[in-house]
Amino acid sequence: MMIRSLSWILAGAMTVSACAGPIETRVQTQQVIAAPEQKKFSVSPIDATANSDLVRARDMVAKALSKKGYQAASDASILVHVALSERPADIAVNAGEKEAARSLSAAKEQKRFQSCKDHEQRLTISLFDQVRGTMLYSGNASEYHCNGTVAQSLPFLVESALSGLDLGPTSSPRITTRTRQGVE
């Protein structure tokens, strides 16, 4: 009788653990050119259909940039574009054709004992220097979630996507994986 009870407890614990635990944030950043001396920015008014999560993301990005010494201004030389997406994680995203084809995001397999399907939440932040006519910075951060919402993930996605800003120009992207606790 005790062994049967123990097996039910273990089965329940394994089921719960499939949706809890460390969350991996996949991050890719690249500082293309150094920021201008006067770090004035404006957020692009031409974005996809605004929803509450995108509005929240744009606000959080503006606040994070301000904390990094950037100043919101109508006469800004830096244009900031914020893109936010959520898609089923078992669908791969590819770009290009034939020899130029490459994977942007591989399909994710469901974990053993996982009771729901994962979604990929991705935030992309791009800064453009309008005076010099070039991209200044690009950062994206993505996470897989079974139960976690975009609103819960946004603080971590914003911080991660901006983590390479002002670290100096690089010829190739910095790719890192961060681990945190939260609702998977």
Side-chain angles (χ1 to χ4, degrees), residues 7-180:
S7 65
W8 280 109
I9 291 170
L10 286 173
M14 290 176 75
T15 301
V16 170
S17 69
C19 287
I23 297 168
E24 288 187 349
T25 307
R26 296 168 312 284
V27 183
Q28 181 172 321
T29 64
Q30 184 173 13
Q31 181 89 31
V32 180
I33 59 173
E37 226 174 275
Q38 291 190 351
K39 298 178 178 180
K40 293 183 178 181
F41 75 92
S42 64
V43 178
S44 170
I46 306 169
D47 278 317
T49 305
N51 62 45
S52 60
D53 288 329
L54 180 58
V55 169
R56 187 177 298 112
R58 290 166 54 105
D59 290 345
M60 292 174 81
V61 167
K63 286 178 186 168
L65 286 171
S66 294
K67 285 182 182 177
K68 288 182 171 280
Y70 288 72
Q71 179 184 9
S74 59
D75 64 339
S77 64
I78 300 171
L79 180 65
V80 178
H81 180 78
V82 178
L84 180 64
S85 67
E86 183 175 28
R87 65 167 180 83
D90 60 352
I91 298 172
V93 178
N94 300 315
E97 293 184 34
K98 298 182 183 174
E99 295 82 34
R102 63 185 177 100
S103 174
L104 297 179
S105 184
K108 180 186 181 285
E109 291 186 27
Q110 195 164 329
K111 291 180 183 176
R112 187 179 208 120
F113 303 114
Q114 190 171 340
S115 61
C116 60
K117 287 190 166 201
D118 276 324
H119 285 259
E120 182 186 48
Q121 300 167 358
R122 178 179 299 266
L123 175 71
T124 301
I125 303 169
S126 302
L127 280 67
F128 299 93
D129 186 317
Q130 299 179 100
V131 174
R132 293 182 274 183
T134 189
M135 179 177 280
L136 171 75
Y137 176 84
S138 176
N140 74 66
S142 60
E143 297 178 344
Y144 294 123
H145 289 276
C146 182
N147 293 309
T149 65
V150 171
Q152 291 169 323
S153 302
L154 272 176
F156 306 101
L157 294 174
V158 169
E159 195 274 328
S160 295
L162 289 174
S163 64
L165 183 61
D166 293 335
L167 293 182
T170 60
S171 58
S172 60
R174 291 179 178 97
I175 298 172
T176 58
T177 301
R178 297 171 159 206
T179 304
R180 68 177 182 87

